Amino acid sequence: MRYGKILVFLLFITSFVLSQLDSPLLSVWPSVVALLSVLLLRKALPGLFIGAICGVILIAEGNPIHSLFIFFYDVLSPALSSSWNLSILAFTLLLGGFSALLEKGGGFEIILKNWLSKTDNLSKKVEWSAFLLGIICFFDGLASSLLGGRAIRPLADKTGLSRAKLAYLVDSTGSAIACVAIMSTWIAYQLSMIREGFLAVEIVHAEPFTLFLSSIPRNFYCWFTLILVVLTIRKSLNFKSMDKFEIKIPKNITENEVSDAKNHTKYTTGQSRVLIPMATLISCLFIGLYFNGVQGTAWPVNFLKIKQAFGDAESNIVLLFSSILACIIAYLFNRNPISASGLSPRKEFTKGIGRFITPSLVLIAAWFLSGTLRELGAASFLSQALNGSLPPALFPVSVFLLGVLISFTTGTSWGTMGVLMPLTIPVCLSLAPDSNAMMASAIAAVFSGAVFGDHCSPMSDTTIVSAVACEISPYDHFRTQLPYALLAASVAALAGFIPMGLGLSPWVCLLLGTLTLLCVPWFRDKFLAHWGK
């Protein structure tokens, strides 16, 4: 880490030297510095911030005093005075409090207990429970991994499910479902990065939410990861690294042990404490988007009106007010029970907001970096440099593979989006200016590549939290999950992004990739067992 700080300092000093040169290539220097800084420091926040500062130095041509004025007046002030940015920040913090209230109420544990009480095949049902909790906790990947690991681990130990397999299940489900969910702690950041990409080419009136919806079926890595989790549970699909942890034979547990395991939580609240607030959050989003964006009379409702309304709606405002109402409902339904930490609902809500201070700062740092790239004309340089040299058909898979490389080496999905999205969208516009499908594909490729690092990078906070929650070493979790992540990424590239770039429908690509994954158990039985020897 000490050498990393020294190298980052050298990058900072180099920016002063480069500021005296006149080359269009320098327009992408802030992105290079941000990426290297995140890799060397293993943290997204300082890496993105350092990249932005180096960009400001280039804009000011190395003048320290001028750099300060540019940073405060041309970068910081516009980013923090934008109504869009402020509402997105508020939404991110509020949803952090919302997730804390739901976790406090114990409704997730009640859903899990009711699910487990209706089965005789408890061992296999525990694996499905890890997947189920991940789906239910769609609004936050990190909370999903933490809650799933903590809630299911006692029962997993009693039924013989290895902690390595449990860590894989909760980790793979959490980030993947949060990335494709229409309402999560991720969506504010995702929409903001899409908007920053369009601002780089001075397009103010973009439709980030509509493009996000279009990217969902194209987010192949996330979908194939979820399908692989289901396949792993159904077919007991284990690679060699996982087999070493799965050699234990589940013991015969007594009825008392089953009862004790199912009731390991002290909460007695009902499922409504979770389901009603989440239903409020989602329904308010859809209703709000429609009535906020609909032109003319709202009735009768039809598909064309819905599509136009979602495109014209002020999604940031709708997200903000939906989160406010959902937080009120969550507080009312979870105000009585006392959490395991002994904190009151109000303090739990404040604690949840505090948990998202750092992610919010990462978002702000990404805005700063995008602002400096915009001032330096990075989008124009990349568009001109790549125009004609990169086949549009290979652009989505190229973006995905670059995102995989960045996220794996840096360990941050948000940092990957912050570096890659503002550069990807302008290039996509230059390659296919009139293709909304290509744009949605490129955006999905950024998301898919970013999530890959969340699943298997040893530096990822999600990887570490999942390991800690399941009480397994981060290294063991990393090496047991890596084969699954590589498999999902390979199928996403070969059966998803490449065929889609060639013109195949994303739905056909999803079907093709799913069929490929369904062949994996047979393929493993025939060949992979020999490769592992």
Side-chain angles (χ1 to χ4, degrees):
M1 182 63 73
R2 183 181 65 180
Y3 295 109
K5 293 180 179 179
I6 294 174
L7 291 174
V8 169
F9 179 73
L10 292 177
L11 290 173
F12 182 75
I13 297 300
T14 303
S15 299
F16 283 97
V17 178
L18 295 177
S19 66
Q20 304 305 311
L21 304 178
D22 184 16
S23 171
L25 188 62
L26 294 180
S27 62
V28 296
W29 175 248
S31 291
V32 174
V33 173
L35 177 58
L36 292 176
S37 298
V38 171
L39 177 60
L40 293 170
L41 300 177
R42 300 183 181 181
K43 293 180 180 179
L45 176 58
L48 293 173
F49 187 76
I50 291 169
I53 294 299
C54 290
V56 170
I57 292 172
L58 294 181
I59 297 171
E61 298 181 349
N63 187 320
I65 304 300
H66 192 199
S67 297
L68 288 175
F69 278 101
I70 289 177
F71 177 75
F72 282 104
Y73 289 102
D74 294 338
V75 177
L76 187 147
S77 179
L80 297 185
S81 61
S82 166
S83 60
W84 169 283
N85 291 352
L86 291 176
S87 58
I88 289 296
L89 276 177
F91 167 80
T92 302
L93 295 172
L94 285 172
L95 214 58
F98 174 80
S99 62
L101 285 174
L102 296 193
E103 184 178 349
K104 167 203 171 295
F108 293 112
E109 285 84 352
I110 294 299
I111 293 174
L112 174 62
K113 185 177 68 173
N114 291 341
W115 165 263
L116 291 173
S117 65
K118 301 173 182 178
T119 181
D120 295 325
N121 187 7
L122 189 61
S123 179
K124 183 63 69 172
K125 212 57 172 288
V126 170
E127 297 184 49
W128 285 114
S129 298
F131 179 71
L132 176 67
L133 270 186
I135 300 299
I136 295 174
C137 300
F138 62 85
F139 50 83
D140 183 34
L142 200 63
S144 172
S145 298
L146 184 61
L147 180 63
R150 289 190 316 193
I152 298 175
R153 182 186 49 76
L155 191 55
D157 289 344
K158 290 183 178 296
T159 57
L161 174 63
S162 71
R163 294 180 179 181
K165 175 65 74 64
L166 177 61
Y168 158 68
L169 296 175
V170 299
D171 192 0
S172 293
T173 306
S175 296
I177 198 66
C179 189
V180 297
I182 57 172
M183 178 66 82
S184 71
T185 53
W186 286 48
I187 193 173
Y189 189 86
Q190 291 170 303
L191 295 179
S192 184
M193 290 303 99
I194 294 173
R195 182 171 181 268
E196 289 298 315
F198 281 99
L199 288 177
V201 289
E202 300 181 355
I203 297 178
V204 179
H205 301 292
E207 300 177 358
F209 192 83
T210 303
L211 286 170
F212 172 78
L213 292 178
S214 298
S215 76
I216 290 177
R218 296 171 167 86
N219 197 337
F220 297 120
Y221 175 76
C222 290
W223 289 119
F224 292 153
T225 295
L226 294 172
I227 292 170
L228 188 56
V229 169
V230 173
L231 190 62
T232 299
I233 296 174
R234 283 189 57 85
K235 300 295 184 180
S236 299
L237 179 63
N238 295 326
F239 293 99
K240 183 179 178 181
S241 58
M242 186 68 77
D243 273 331
K244 295 180 179 180
F245 292 88
E246 291 284 287
I247 57 175
K248 292 191 307 180
I249 300 175
K251 66 178 182 177
N252 296 321
I253 57 178
T254 65
E255 291 297 325
N256 288 336
E257 287 177 313
V258 172
S259 177
D260 179 65
K262 290 177 181 177
N263 294 281
H264 69 275
T265 176
K266 68 178 182 179
Y267 301 122
T268 58
T269 54
Q271 300 179 45
S272 60
R273 296 186 180 277
V274 167
L275 299 180
I276 292 180
M278 290 200 304
T280 301
L281 185 65
I282 296 174
S283 60
C284 285
L285 172 65
F286 281 110
I287 295 173
L289 286 172
Y290 180 74
F291 283 100
N292 180 267
V294 69
Q295 302 295 327
T297 59
W299 309 101
V301 179
N302 55 55
F303 178 76
L304 182 60
K305 278 188 177 181
I306 293 175
K307 182 179 179 180
Q308 291 176 340
F310 279 27
D312 295 336
E314 298 175 293
S315 55
N316 58 313
I317 300 298
V318 176
L319 286 171
L320 176 61
F321 281 98
S322 297
S323 64
I324 291 174
L325 183 57
C327 285
I328 294 174
I329 298 299
Y331 180 84
L332 293 176
F333 274 80
N334 295 279
R335 68 186 185 278
N336 293 325
I338 300 298
S339 67
S341 63
L343 299 178
S344 65
R346 186 175 303 173
K347 291 183 178 179
E348 284 284 357
F349 181 75
T350 304
K351 181 181 176 182
I353 290 178
R355 193 177 68 188
F356 278 81
I357 293 295
T358 298
S360 297
L361 293 176
V362 171
L363 176 58
I364 293 173
W367 287 334
F368 291 166
L369 177 61
S370 298
T372 59
L373 293 174
R374 192 160 53 247
E375 291 290 330
L376 290 168
S380 177
F381 166 73
L382 284 175
S383 299
Q384 294 176 4
L386 295 177
N387 190 22
S389 61
L390 182 66
L394 296 180
F395 184 63
V397 72
S398 300
V399 172
F400 170 64
L401 294 177
L402 182 58
V404 164
L405 178 63
I406 295 174
S407 65
F408 181 79
T409 53
T410 62
T412 166
S413 55
W414 283 29
T416 300
M417 295 180 204
V419 171
L420 197 54
M421 190 70 81
L423 301 178
T424 297
I425 290 179
V427 174
C428 184
L429 287 171
S430 68
L431 294 175
D434 299 321
S435 177
N436 288 332
M438 178 65 78
M439 180 60 68
S441 300
I443 290 171
V446 174
F447 293 155
S448 283
V451 173
F452 177 85
D454 259 356
H455 285 164
C456 59
S457 173
M459 295 176 287
S460 168
D461 57 350
T462 309
T463 302
I464 295 171
V465 165
S466 299
V468 171
C470 299
E471 296 190 9
I472 186 176
S473 74
Y475 174 73
D476 285 336
H477 174 43
F478 153 72
R479 67 190 184 95
T480 52
Q481 176 143 317
L482 183 60
Y484 297 94
L486 289 174
L487 175 59
S490 300
V491 176
L494 298 176
F497 290 111
I498 292 178
M500 182 178 63
L502 295 172
L504 203 63
S505 166
W507 300 103
V508 176
C509 293
L510 281 173
L511 178 60
L512 180 62
T514 301
L515 293 176
T516 302
L517 289 174
L518 290 175
C519 295
V520 170
W522 176 87
F523 183 78
R524 178 188 183 278
D525 292 340
K526 296 294 183 181
F527 298 101
L528 293 186
H530 298 289
W531 294 355
K533 292 182 180 180

